[in-house]
């Protein structure tokens, strides 16, 4: 599983998809749940982005 998650196409997908969800979530989901969804997806997106920069 680790080689799959560290491949560049998967990292790009994780980065872009989670960044898009983080940007849209507060407008689609109301209240605290939308904010927490955006924060969680943002953290995953940042992790994928850092992994892209390191490799």
């Amino acid at each position: 599983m680790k080689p799959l998650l560290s491949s560049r196409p998967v990292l790009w997908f994780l980065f872009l998809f989670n960044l898009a969800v983080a940007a849209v979530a507060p407008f689609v989901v109301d209240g605290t749940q939308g904010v927490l969804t955006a924060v969680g997806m943002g953290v995953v997106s940042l992790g994928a982005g850092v992994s892209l920069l390191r490799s």
Side-chain angles (χ1 to χ4, degrees):
M1 188 68 159
K2 186 168 177 133
L4 174 67
L5 288 176
S6 62
S7 69
R8 290 189 66 80
V10 172
L11 287 174
W12 274 110
F13 173 76
L14 286 172
F15 175 68
L16 294 174
F17 177 77
N18 287 303
L19 186 64
V21 171
V24 173
F27 302 107
V28 176
V29 182
D30 291 330
T32 307
Q33 186 176 4
V35 173
L36 291 177
T37 301
V39 169
M41 292 293 197
V43 168
V44 173
S45 179
L46 284 174
V50 167
S51 294
L52 278 169
L53 290 176
R54 293 175 79 196
S55 61

